[in-house]
Every structure is written in C-alpha cells, then in structure tokens.
Amino acid sequence: MLKLTPAERSELRSEAHALKPIVLIGEAGLSPSVIKEIDAGLNAHGLIKVRVFGDDREARIAMYDTICSELKAAPVQHIGKLLVIYRPKVEGTKETKLVKKGRGLREVTIVKPSPSGTKKPTVSKVMVKGNERVTQGGNVKRAKPRQTSAKKSALGNS
C-alpha cells in the first residue's frame, strides 16, 4: 500500500470533493472485473471515488483494504459508502499516442469595409484549417504549397 502524509491526504480530499463515483460495487462484492475497472480508473485519473452498495461497514473496510493492497494504491478517505482512492498516474503510456500534430479548425472573423465607405462593414465568420491563412482582402489561402510526391515527380520527368 502507498503511504501519504496528512498534508497530501488533505489536498487529495479537497480535489476528490467534486468527483463523482466512477466504479460502483454491488451485491456481488469485489470481483476480479470490479478490481480491473478500478485499476483502469486509477490509470486514467489517478484519483477516483468508488461507491459500495451494502450496509456492512466491516465489509466496506475490508474491501477498501483489499483494493489498496492489490492495486498498490493509497487510501484517501472512507466516508459513508464512498471510498476515495489515489495512485499516481504512470507517465507516457497511451497519452503520447493521442497527441495530434498540427492545428485543427479555428474560427476567424473577417471584416470587410463597404465599397462606398458609408455603409456598415460586412462581418463574416469562417472556419479555417491549420494550414490556411486569411489574406488582407479577406480571402482564405493555403499557408504553404502542398508537397508534391517524389514518385509522381519522378514519373513526370522521365
């Protein structure tokens, strides 16, 4: 089991206050599938709440100890039927695969003055891709020319 200082425990309790329980333990008790779900929740979030349905306080305490010892997690708080569990997140697992390169769509407001100068300017909102830019005249252009394929250019030269 992971040990926490009282200051760390207090900080984690304040963070957990706004959380909702992500795992519910029912009448079947602490099955391997429930432990697997708790492990997945700890991997994803680090700090989770677990709700135990059952009136036996001793059974809840036993479950709490079992979860913390099996998953190498730290018990933060046991209040009523809620259990708060913490385990530091492992850095660099699946999160690095989810990082997108480049920029996504963004909204740009284009304001064009009226040709006569006496009327209101026209305002339009346009979604621009990451490789596009808006010119001074209000037109959308590609920021860089599209790369050509080495194979296609080799076929065109011979």
Side-chain angles (χ1 to χ4, degrees):
M1 247 191 325
L2 193 65
K3 297 289 182 191
L4 296 174
T5 64
E8 290 172 330
R9 184 171 280 116
S10 175
E11 181 70 28
L12 289 170
R13 259 186 279 160
S14 67
E15 284 181 38
H17 182 72
L19 297 178
K20 298 211 180 317
I22 62 169
V23 178
L24 305 173
I25 301 176
E27 292 297 319
L30 202 57
S31 64
S33 59
V34 171
I35 291 180
K36 186 177 176 184
E37 253 338 279
I38 293 171
D39 188 35
L42 286 170
N43 287 338
H45 304 288
L47 180 68
I48 64 168
K49 273 187 183 177
V50 177
R51 181 176 297 277
V52 181
F53 294 111
D55 294 328
D56 188 12
R57 180 174 169 76
E58 300 302 321
R60 284 196 304 267
I61 292 171
M63 283 183 201
Y64 199 31
D65 293 336
T66 305
I67 291 168
C68 291
S69 62
E70 281 189 28
L71 300 178
K72 295 177 180 62
V76 176
Q77 187 177 29
H78 172 208
I79 184 162
K81 295 182 180 184
L82 285 176
L83 312 175
V84 181
I85 303 168
Y86 171 73
R87 183 173 69 191
K89 287 170 56 171
V90 179
E91 295 297 322
T93 52
K94 294 182 182 178
E95 294 175 21
T96 54
K97 295 179 184 177
L98 299 176
V99 175
K100 290 197 310 185
K101 294 185 179 176
R103 292 167 49 188
L105 291 174
R106 63 187 190 280
E107 188 175 8
V108 176
T109 305
I110 299 174
V111 180
K112 288 187 181 179
S114 67
S116 64
T118 57
K119 297 181 181 175
K120 287 184 177 179
T122 58
V123 178
S124 60
K125 294 190 182 229
V126 180
M127 294 302 286
V128 179
K129 296 177 186 167
N131 66 342
E132 295 177 340
R133 64 182 174 87
V134 179
T135 63
Q136 267 188 322
N139 299 326
V140 178
K141 285 192 163 184
R142 278 184 191 262
K144 299 175 191 165
R146 182 176 274 174
Q147 292 181 343
T148 57
S149 167
K151 289 182 181 178
K152 287 184 180 177
S153 61
L155 290 174
N157 290 342
S158 46

